[in-house]
Amino acid sequence: MIRVAICGGSGYTGGELLRILSKHPVVTITAVTSERSAGKSVVDLFPNLHKYSNLIYEPLHVEDILDRAELFFMALPHGESQGAVDFFFRNGKKVIDLSADYRFKDIKTYEEWYRVSHKFQRTLEKAVYGLPELYRKKIAKASLVANPGCYPTGAILGLYPVIKNKLIDVASIVIDSKSGTSGAGRKSDVEYSYCEVNEGFKAYAVVGHRHTPEMEQELSAIAGKAIKVNFTPHLAPFDRGILTTMYVRLIESVDTEKIIELYKKTYTNEPFVKVLDVGRFPNVKNLRGTNLCEIGLIVNIRTNTLIIITAIDNLVKGASGQAVHNMNIMMGFDEKTALDTAGLFP
Amino acid sequence: MIRVAICGGSGYTGGELLRILSKHPVVTITAVTSERSAGKSVVDLFPNLHKYSNLIYEPLHVEDILDRAELFFMALPHGESQGAVDFFFRNGKKVIDLSADYRFKDIKTYEEWYRVSHKFQRTLEKAVYGLPELYRKKIAKASLVANPGCYPTGAILGLYPVIKNKLIDVASIVIDSKSGTSGAGRKSDVEYSYCEVNEGFKAYAVVGHRHTPEMEQELSAIAGKAIKVNFTPHLAPFDRGILTTMYVRLIESVDTEKIIELYKKTYTNEPFVKVLDVGRFPNVKNLRGTNLCEIGLIVNIRTNTLIIITAIDNLVKGASGQAVHNMNIMMGFDEKTALDTAGLFP
Amino acid sequence: MIRVAICGGSGYTGGELLRILSKHPVVTITAVTSERSAGKSVVDLFPNLHKYSNLIYEPLHVEDILDRAELFFMALPHGESQGAVDFFFRNGKKVIDLSADYRFKDIKTYEEWYRVSHKFQRTLEKAVYGLPELYRKKIAKASLVANPGCYPTGAILGLYPVIKNKLIDVASIVIDSKSGTSGAGRKSDVEYSYCEVNEGFKAYAVVGHRHTPEMEQELSAIAGKAIKVNFTPHLAPFDRGILTTMYVRLIESVDTEKIIELYKKTYTNEPFVKVLDVGRFPNVKNLRGTNLCEIGLIVNIRTNTLIIITAIDNLVKGASGQAVHNMNIMMGFDEKTALDTAGLFP
Amino acid sequence: MIRVAICGGSGYTGGELLRILSKHPVVTITAVTSERSAGKSVVDLFPNLHKYSNLIYEPLHVEDILDRAELFFMALPHGESQGAVDFFFRNGKKVIDLSADYRFKDIKTYEEWYRVSHKFQRTLEKAVYGLPELYRKKIAKASLVANPGCYPTGAILGLYPVIKNKLIDVASIVIDSKSGTSGAGRKSDVEYSYCEVNEGFKAYAVVGHRHTPEMEQELSAIAGKAIKVNFTPHLAPFDRGILTTMYVRLIESVDTEKIIELYKKTYTNEPFVKVLDVGRFPNVKNLRGTNLCEIGLIVNIRTNTLIIITAIDNLVKGASGQAVHNMNIMMGFDEKTALDTAGLFP
């Protein structure tokens, strides 16, 4: 058994960590923090998690909880996570940070896009970007894992095989994402109230979304050269899921079958990536509650363009499920522990 | 007063024609046809249209209704519309066809994409593509108007100014559309049942959607040269609306303000196109029940790409509202008659 | 032309007043107030109301706007409305108050259920309860109309004929209502955020909802004796509409046809009440955007119970549409002016 | 390990059986039948069940599958289940029938409400009504269990303690239920298509729903005398869940605390019934994917009426989860096996 603490456990990401970990046979949750909900029990905030009626939110005092866990999940807002992560890391703990604070190799990029200064460069240098399909070996040895953003997860997994194999013009990348509303978090904001979102559909943060540089960092690393992308997120009227439709110009003409073969080969040993057969495309509905990323592919031979469509559950593969996957790798557990579930349909 | 008949009046498009025309002061509906619902009243199928309790569906017998109207709205399925349109047209009637049967200049393109043969080439040659913003003068003189498809309406209006002014690389066009489920029509099909669509989101007809050649025909005509596009439609869990996000490479760098200025100038006299100010983007929610097309624009200077986002109500500007607009032009009525409504929000 | 002001115009009720009045041929809106949104234009808050781009929200200063209108719609929160209503009324203006402040004959009942003291008893005595079907003549002569609550509107219209005709045991009334989320208003509150409401369904304010005494006041007045009801409201995942299912014990057995005949006769001249035929029951979907109340009826002969089901659009017949109806009556306009619309379906 | 077959495995109930059983450590599924989908794999119909890619639907030939399983789940339509159930039962197999065919003690009641004749009276006499909270001991010994209907499950569990303890006037029972659309099954029917259900809410089968006599049979058995109820089901725009609001007249006044105490005591050892504390009421959103029934209670002292509100997931506790619970009891497994999951929220 390992003891685990969750810092920032009152949002959707925190609730999802609790839900997933409730199925984990060798994990005990010893602390869960929330400033606003301190004193309340988990079941007060998440009536679906009735097993946790005895788990009480406490304010985050890093010294107080340091000795109560071997591993810390950090689900705090960007900027607020930095210091606590650094503290636990320096004290020899394993840390999985779900915020953006430790995702960027280049501290300037972080500071520019997030408009926060970063005070822990040394710790930042030790962080591993927690996308298991690309960095499994590093994650296994890491003490600090920066869990990827939801949009980058679906985009990078979709683009990795063709960039790696130099099949596309990397100056042509279009990433058009549609996200369920849980991606906005659990907060009081008229913009995300039911009657504003329901029956609506809109783009937001057009050109300026903060996940853009995160995608670019990872895609550039794969390509071995600087890549800039066109990324547009959209807010959609459903709870969970991100569907990402990508358009990339092929350097030479390749047929759909060959592309699918390449993707299947690339991800053949990956428990959480599923490449669909010719003519099949993913639907976020089938993935609710699962840690899967599904990928559908087709070449438009009239324009020599590859269309790549990926789908994930933003709260699972896009956040808490991937965090648990990272924990499993870091701790040497079977990777699928607590994550091997069928989606809830309908 | 003019007398109007609706052929194929039991689907969502037919219902929407009836709803809009109920506000038209100089139109009388003298006949509405439906094979399956013959004998039922309109209010049986559309309880919202309680004024039409005395209007009874009849089977379509073209000879029987020929003399009962001056103008015929044809809302029949593709392939089924051809013959009836030809009959009314040859008998000197005005016809607005909401099917795809008379949209294509090149009969081969129609036959290839719709897998139906076209038997009325001469009549086809007389048809005018009913996008008022591009073809107002021709529509005013036409007896046969082919009402545009829902996706082409939003795409063409968004691309027209930059193609016309040769600002973009026309080989780079990406059109990513998200449609409400009413676009699938009123039919019994497990795929469109509530529990399959709700909480889901997926692409469909990827690469092969029939609105692709329709867009290409019109965009090529604007450009004066052949254009091929990447078009992906998606099925979204809301009733009404299409949001289309488009990505086009700019030939030279232009700033967002200049682009918006160009669009505002282009559409300055258009009653149903609204170009949004800098930083604003459309939401389908605001347009429900209206004949408007809203356009939001921004240049991504990091990639020299223009992002164009348009929104319409697919049943109004994308179908029945545009049809009534065409009627108003053909008959010399004020263009805004019966179409000058505020959207229903929330 | 009459000049009209709207006090509290930034919520859903205010927006709906603006939408409906935009179709009213003899009304000019001269002022619209909002404390939080002062300085913004209506179109900033309601992009669907693009005609109102020149109408700017101002803070409410009653002296400043007194002379700018003949009639004032008050869409302020309960308790905040009292003073302003009194001021306009005392200065000879016509006032329609959409809050609960002037609905109660018994000031104690108001103070007890709303936990606010009422300071304007004399003005309160002049207020007429604005349910046109019951109080048309009084409304026509009134200067101050208290617009009914959304739930009471559907409940009272459904129960009026059988209570009036003494057909039921008035001690047996069960009123089970299901409301769309727009009834909660336009506000930032986690409880009404998209992911909390969507895919959910719950009762709220069970036993203690403030519309209970309002229903009881009016039903008692019809019966000529004190009535207490069981009323449970539910929050449902759609935007607009209230469906109310009522159960009442019949004193003697009556068949469904007779009951429907009674209802049709009772409401025969009412433009906004529609009694459905045997076997038909209302659906909120058909009423969106309309001022109608639809009523379906059936007798359960096995239990000698009458089931009455009513549906309205809570923002129209349940609020702003009924307010405009009251204005039409007070001003001597045709009652259907600006309200004679077909529902938006789908 | 026991071998299990599912007859009728292509609907939502069948899919849910497959999903739940995928977590069951001692069950192997050896056959799954479907006439329409014979030859397809489970994953073709349920992309969320990707583990079942090798499980192929076959037509139901009872002789062929008789020897392939010890226990048969029957998820066939009413009327079609009778014969196959009888066959498996007579051949010594254990059978859990999710249809209504074996729920009624009185064959006449079944034939009258379902308009089908019942040909297997002897087998019917052996069937046990599969509500574990009431009939656990009988279920443990049974070979044939008739799994309860979705509405009766929530209604009976809510009424059992007060009827058993003779606290209410059993002539006063009102049962008002709101069901998600998955209750209608997976079928092509315009009435259940997305645009008809979404943003709508309506009652259906008013007075005449077939679950009425099923509730009455069980409630009468509890009371020891004949009970008739008022039951109205409603169709709601969400996927999963039934919320049932019940109104019963108390014989003597009792306070809410006492009632809750009685319910908690009654269900104290029940793993799948959760009685909520004072002031708390259930929301279907919290129960998605779980086998729980949550119960909220309050006395309206003004009318001496008890309001009982229950919520379940109609596909789990209302169908397939309860079926697996029954299997666990029949086979002597831990009752919570495969059913001990937290709800998916949001």
Side-chain angles (χ1 to χ4, degrees), chain C residues 77-307:
Chain C
H78 310 311
E80 294 180 27
S81 194
Q82 279 183 35
V85 167
D86 175 72
F87 177 83
F88 295 129
F89 176 77
R90 279 191 294 102
N91 281 278
K93 300 296 181 177
K94 292 192 187 297
V95 186
I96 298 169
D97 185 15
L98 284 83
S99 87
D101 286 358
Y102 288 87
R103 289 181 196 154
F104 291 88
K105 303 280 172 257
D106 178 9
I107 210 164
K108 288 274 176 305
T109 305
Y110 170 81
E111 293 182 339
E112 184 186 326
W113 286 79
Y114 285 83
R115 307 207 166 279
V116 183
S117 69
H118 202 302
K119 299 174 185 150
F120 307 95
Q121 170 123 28
R122 280 209 192 149
T123 301
L124 179 59
E125 285 164 9
K126 300 294 169 54
V128 172
Y129 190 73
L131 196 63
E133 291 79 5
L134 271 70
Y135 300 111
R136 180 174 276 106
K137 284 182 187 167
K138 285 188 181 175
I139 293 164
K141 294 184 209 147
S143 285
L144 170 53
V145 167
N147 214 57
C150 53
Y151 290 119
T153 295
I156 298 165
L157 291 175
L159 291 165
Y160 171 64
V162 279
I163 294 182
K164 182 78 181 171
N165 289 279
K166 303 192 187 304
L167 297 180
I168 64 164
D169 171 6
V170 294
S172 74
I173 300 172
V174 167
I175 300 169
D176 192 280
S177 291
K178 301 86 177 172
S179 174
T181 304
S182 63
R186 193 178 206 180
K187 60 186 171 206
S188 54
D189 187 335
V190 171
E191 192 178 348
Y192 299 108
S193 68
Y194 182 80
C195 291
E196 305 290 317
V197 173
N198 181 47
E199 294 298 287
F201 196 92
K202 65 171 182 182
Y204 70 98
V206 190
V207 170
H209 194 281
R210 291 166 168 181
H211 284 173
T212 309
E214 186 181 333
M215 293 174 187
E216 292 178 348
Q217 165 181 291
E218 294 303 316
L219 298 180
S220 299
I222 297 165
K225 63 176 172 177
I227 290 182
K228 292 210 183 323
V229 299
N230 287 298
F231 166 56
T232 310
H234 299 77
L235 182 73
F238 50 84
D239 282 350
R240 284 172 183 251
I242 292 175
L243 193 100
T244 296
T245 311
M246 290 173 277
Y247 302 81
V248 292
R249 194 66 53 107
L250 289 163
I251 292 170
E252 291 178 26
S253 67
V254 194
D255 64 17
T256 300
E257 287 74 12
K258 278 271 162 56
I259 291 282
I260 289 180
E261 202 179 299
L262 168 67
Y263 274 69
K264 290 203 170 183
K265 200 176 144 201
T266 305
Y267 292 125
T268 188
N269 293 318
E270 289 302 336
F272 299 118
V273 179
K274 209 175 132 204
V275 180
L276 302 181
D277 292 333
V278 176
R280 297 236 160 186
F281 296 93
N283 186 334
V284 296
K285 180 142 200 170
N286 302 321
L287 301 174
R288 291 181 305 161
T290 82
N291 198 47
L292 288 176
C293 175
E294 287 193 355
I295 307 179
L297 298 143
I298 189 168
V299 174
N300 185 344
I301 53 173
R302 301 170 75 247
T303 61
N304 203 32
T305 301
L306 171 65
I307 290 105

Side-chain angles (χ1 to χ4, degrees), chain D residues 80-276:
Chain D
E80 294 181 28
S81 195
Q82 279 183 35
V85 166
D86 175 72
F87 177 83
F88 294 129
F89 176 77
R90 279 190 295 101
N91 281 279
K93 301 296 182 177
K94 292 193 187 297
V95 185
I96 297 169
D97 184 14
L98 285 82
S99 87
D101 285 0
Y102 288 88
R103 289 181 196 154
F104 291 88
K105 304 282 171 255
D106 178 8
I107 209 164
K108 289 274 177 304
T109 304
Y110 170 81
E111 293 183 340
E112 184 187 326
W113 286 79
Y114 285 84
R115 307 207 167 279
V116 182
S117 68
H118 202 302
K119 299 171 186 152
F120 308 94
Q121 170 122 28
R122 277 205 197 153
T123 301
L124 178 60
E125 285 164 9
K126 301 294 170 56
V128 172
Y129 190 74
L131 196 62
E133 291 78 5
L134 271 69
Y135 300 109
R136 181 174 275 106
K137 285 182 184 166
K138 287 188 179 176
I139 293 164
K141 296 182 208 150
S143 285
L144 171 53
V145 167
N147 214 56
C150 52
Y151 290 119
T153 295
I156 298 165
L157 291 175
L159 291 165
Y160 171 64
V162 279
I163 295 182
K164 182 78 183 172
N165 289 280
K166 302 190 188 307
L167 298 179
I168 64 164
D169 170 6
V170 294
S172 73
I173 300 173
V174 167
I175 301 169
D176 192 280
S177 290
K178 301 86 178 172
S179 174
T181 305
S182 63
R186 193 179 206 180
K187 61 187 171 207
S188 54
D189 187 336
V190 172
E191 192 180 347
Y192 299 108
S193 68
Y194 183 81
C195 291
E196 305 289 317
V197 173
N198 182 46
E199 294 298 288
F201 197 93
K202 65 172 182 181
Y204 70 98
V206 190
V207 170
H209 194 280
R210 290 164 169 183
H211 284 174
T212 309
E214 185 180 334
M215 293 175 187
E216 292 178 348
Q217 166 181 291
E218 295 303 317
L219 299 179
S220 298
I222 298 166
K225 63 176 173 179
I227 290 182
K228 292 210 184 322
V229 299
N230 287 299
F231 167 55
T232 311
H234 298 78
L235 183 73
F238 51 84
D239 281 351
R240 284 172 181 250
I242 292 175
L243 193 99
T244 297
T245 311
M246 290 172 277
Y247 302 81
V248 292
R249 193 66 52 108
L250 289 162
I251 293 170
E252 291 180 25
S253 67
V254 195
D255 64 18
T256 301
E257 287 73 11
K258 278 271 162 56
I259 292 283
I260 289 180
E261 201 179 300
L262 167 67
Y263 274 69
K264 290 204 168 182
K265 199 175 146 201
T266 305
Y267 292 125
T268 188
N269 292 317
E270 288 302 336
F272 299 119
V273 178
K274 209 175 131 202
V275 180
L276 302 182

Side-chain angles (χ1 to χ4, degrees), chain B residues 79-296:
Chain B
E80 294 180 27
S81 194
Q82 280 182 34
V85 166
D86 175 72
F87 177 82
F88 295 129
F89 176 77
R90 279 190 294 101
N91 281 280
K93 301 295 183 178
K94 292 192 187 296
V95 186
I96 297 169
D97 184 15
L98 285 82
S99 87
D101 286 359
Y102 288 87
R103 289 180 196 154
F104 291 88
K105 304 281 171 256
D106 178 9
I107 210 163
K108 290 272 177 304
T109 304
Y110 171 81
E111 293 184 340
E112 185 186 325
W113 286 79
Y114 284 83
R115 307 207 165 279
V116 182
S117 68
H118 203 301
K119 299 173 185 151
F120 308 95
Q121 171 123 27
R122 277 206 198 154
T123 302
L124 179 59
E125 284 164 9
K126 300 293 168 56
V128 172
Y129 190 75
L131 196 63
E133 292 78 5
L134 270 70
Y135 300 110
R136 182 173 274 107
K137 284 182 186 168
K138 286 187 179 176
I139 294 163
K141 294 182 210 149
S143 285
L144 171 52
V145 166
N147 214 56
C150 54
Y151 289 119
T153 295
I156 298 165
L157 290 174
L159 290 165
Y160 171 63
V162 279
I163 295 181
K164 182 77 181 172
N165 289 280
K166 302 190 188 306
L167 297 179
I168 63 163
D169 171 6
V170 293
S172 73
I173 300 172
V174 167
I175 300 169
D176 192 280
S177 290
K178 301 87 177 170
S179 174
T181 305
S182 64
R186 193 178 206 181
K187 60 187 171 208
S188 54
D189 187 336
V190 172
E191 192 180 347
Y192 300 108
S193 68
Y194 183 80
C195 291
E196 305 289 317
V197 173
N198 181 46
E199 293 298 287
F201 196 93
K202 66 171 181 180
Y204 70 99
V206 191
V207 170
H209 194 280
R210 290 165 168 182
H211 284 174
T212 310
E214 186 180 333
M215 294 175 186
E216 291 177 349
Q217 166 181 292
E218 294 303 316
L219 299 179
S220 299
I222 297 165
K225 61 177 175 179
I227 290 182
K228 293 209 183 323
V229 300
N230 287 298
F231 167 56
T232 311
H234 299 77
L235 183 73
F238 51 84
D239 282 351
R240 284 172 181 250
I242 293 175
L243 193 98
T244 298
T245 310
M246 291 173 275
Y247 302 82
V248 292
R249 194 65 54 105
L250 289 163
I251 292 170
E252 290 179 26
S253 67
V254 195
D255 63 18
T256 300
E257 287 74 10
K258 277 271 162 57
I259 291 284
I260 289 180
E261 201 179 300
L262 168 67
Y263 274 70
K264 290 205 168 180
K265 201 176 143 199
T266 304
Y267 291 124
T268 189
N269 293 318
E270 288 302 335
F272 299 118
V273 179
K274 209 175 131 203
V275 180
L276 303 180
D277 292 332
V278 176
R280 298 236 159 184
F281 296 93
N283 185 335
V284 295
K285 180 141 202 173
N286 301 321
L287 301 174
R288 292 182 305 164
T290 82
N291 199 46
L292 287 176
C293 174
E294 288 194 353
I295 308 178

Side-chain angles (χ1 to χ4, degrees), chain A residues 113 171-178 194-203 206-207 212-213 216 227-232 234 236-240 243 245 247 249 281-285 288 298-305 307 309 345-346, chain B residues 113 171-178 194-203 206-207 212-213 216 227-232 234 236-240 243 245 247 249 281-285 288 298-305 307 309 345-346:
Chain A
W113 286 80
S172 74
I173 300 171
V174 167
I175 301 168
D176 192 280
S177 290
K178 300 85 177 171
Y194 183 79
C195 291
E196 305 288 318
V197 173
N198 180 47
E199 293 297 287
F201 196 93
K202 65 171 183 180
V206 190
V207 170
T212 310
E216 291 178 348
I227 289 181
K228 292 210 183 323
V229 300
N230 288 298
F231 167 56
T232 311
H234 299 77
F238 51 83
D239 282 350
R240 284 170 181 252
L243 192 99
T245 312
Y247 302 82
R249 193 66 52 105
F281 296 93
N283 186 336
V284 295
K285 180 140 201 172
R288 291 182 304 163
I298 189 168
V299 174
N300 185 344
I301 53 173
R302 302 170 74 248
T303 60
N304 204 33
T305 300
I307 291 105
I309 305 181
F345 172 90
Chain B
W113 286 79
S172 73
I173 300 172
V174 167
I175 300 169
D176 192 280
S177 290
K178 301 87 177 170
Y194 183 80
C195 291
E196 305 289 317
V197 173
N198 181 46
E199 293 298 287
F201 196 93
K202 66 171 181 180
V206 191
V207 170
T212 310
E216 291 177 349
I227 290 182
K228 293 209 183 323
V229 300
N230 287 298
F231 167 56
T232 311
H234 299 77
F238 51 84
D239 282 351
R240 284 172 181 250
L243 193 98
T245 310
Y247 302 82
R249 194 65 54 105
F281 296 93
N283 185 335
V284 295
K285 180 141 202 173
R288 292 182 305 164
I298 189 168
V299 174
N300 184 344
I301 52 173
R302 302 170 74 247
T303 60
N304 203 32
T305 300
I307 290 105
I309 305 178
F345 172 89

Side-chain angles (χ1 to χ4, degrees), chain D residues 8-29:
Chain D
S10 62
Y12 291 140
T13 307
E16 197 67 0
L17 276 169
L18 288 160
R19 187 185 70 84
I20 294 168
L21 292 174
S22 75
K23 296 182 286 184
H24 204 295
V26 293
V27 162
T28 308
I29 298 167

